[in-house]
Amino acid sequence: MIRVLLADDQVLVRAGFRALLDAQADIEVAGEAGDGQRAVRLARELSPDVVLMDIRMPGTDGLVATRQIAADPLLAGVRVVILTTFDLDEYVFEAIRSGASGFLVKDTEPDELVQAVHVVAGGEALLSPGVTRRLIAEFAARAKQPPNTGALAELTGREREVLALVGEGLSNSEIARRLVVSPATAKTHVSRAMIKLGTRDRAQLVVAAYESGLVRPGWHS
């Protein structure tokens, strides 16, 4: 059973999401929060698998709440999906840098929301290739920190190559085809890069590819 925490200051939005998710045989809504502070508190109390987090809420907003959840070692298994009105919200990139596993626009189709919960609960990032390129190209240049080229020192040449392809938004299967290796081998390289760079999941690995300077905004595969 996948346990979900809903964090949104609009009661009707939460009610709609709850009705949809509770109707699924393998998903249950474990709790609801109307602001970021309560979302963090409930995340610590309930240890949900997935938090659907509105980014704009009164008091503690979704960005701060996401950062607090991602920084708590006791919540390492909790995945945060940012809910936003626009698919290129100016705060989305910062949220992913802070530990979110992806984002959804609020008017997404019901079946896509359910699929998204399954994807993130399974440990994958919710960033499609097209959205990845648009999102990072738009906001990576605004990153406050300078490129950290030293972070790449721990990676092998193959792992750097794989990291660059992850940064382009390619899936493991697409990376495997590009490098003419098996999907399992591609997945192993991705996993090793994540461990060496200390990234929480694939979403942060994409950000690392850009912030390290390995991939630059505007580059295309």
Side-chain angles (χ1 to χ4, degrees):
M1 184 66 72
I2 301 172
R3 303 173 71 249
V4 178
L5 172 62
L6 302 176
D8 195 297
D9 62 332
Q10 298 183 45
V11 177
L12 288 178
V13 171
R14 297 202 309 269
F17 284 168
R18 174 181 279 276
L20 173 64
L21 296 175
D22 276 343
Q24 309 305 310
D26 60 347
I27 299 176
E28 68 172 358
V29 175
E32 297 183 25
D35 60 72
Q37 184 177 10
R38 179 167 172 76
V40 174
R41 185 166 67 250
L42 286 180
R44 289 170 175 157
E45 291 177 4
L46 303 173
S47 295
D49 300 295
V50 178
V51 180
L52 295 181
M53 181 84 74
D54 184 19
I55 204 163
R56 291 186 175 88
M57 292 184 287
T60 301
D61 64 20
L63 182 60
V64 173
T66 297
R67 188 178 296 119
Q68 291 178 1
I69 291 173
D72 191 334
L74 296 178
L75 300 178
V78 177
R79 296 290 180 257
V80 177
V81 175
I82 294 296
L83 299 173
T84 179
T85 304
F86 305 104
D87 64 353
L88 279 180
D89 189 295
E90 62 180 304
Y91 296 108
V92 168
F93 177 67
E94 188 63 32
I96 293 174
R97 291 181 69 201
S98 299
S101 294
F103 71 98
L104 284 172
V105 290
K106 287 188 176 181
D107 61 354
T108 189
E109 294 295 325
D111 59 337
E112 292 178 353
L113 174 63
V114 173
Q115 180 182 12
V117 169
H118 284 110
V119 167
V120 175
E124 295 295 325
L126 193 65
L127 290 174
S128 68
V131 170
T132 298
R133 285 194 271 274
R134 289 167 51 214
L135 175 69
I136 304 300
E138 177 70 19
F139 297 115
R142 303 184 188 183
K144 299 179 179 63
Q145 301 177 0
N148 181 14
T149 54
L152 300 179
E154 297 296 320
L155 302 184
T156 65
R158 177 62 91 181
E159 287 165 356
R160 292 187 191 188
E161 192 173 7
V162 168
L163 177 60
L165 296 176
V166 170
E168 291 180 12
L170 272 63
S171 66
N172 287 347
S173 296
E174 291 169 332
I175 291 173
R177 288 195 294 271
R178 179 75 65 86
L179 300 180
V180 195
V181 298
S182 71
T185 298
K187 182 177 181 180
T188 296
H189 287 312
V190 171
S191 297
R192 288 176 178 169
M194 287 175 58
I195 292 172
K196 290 181 179 180
L197 296 176
T199 56
R200 182 179 173 90
D201 58 20
R202 196 182 188 92
Q204 284 198 312
L205 196 62
V206 170
V207 175
Y210 281 84
E211 293 196 327
S212 67
L214 187 63
V215 181
R216 297 176 185 172
W219 286 13
H220 298 283
S221 56

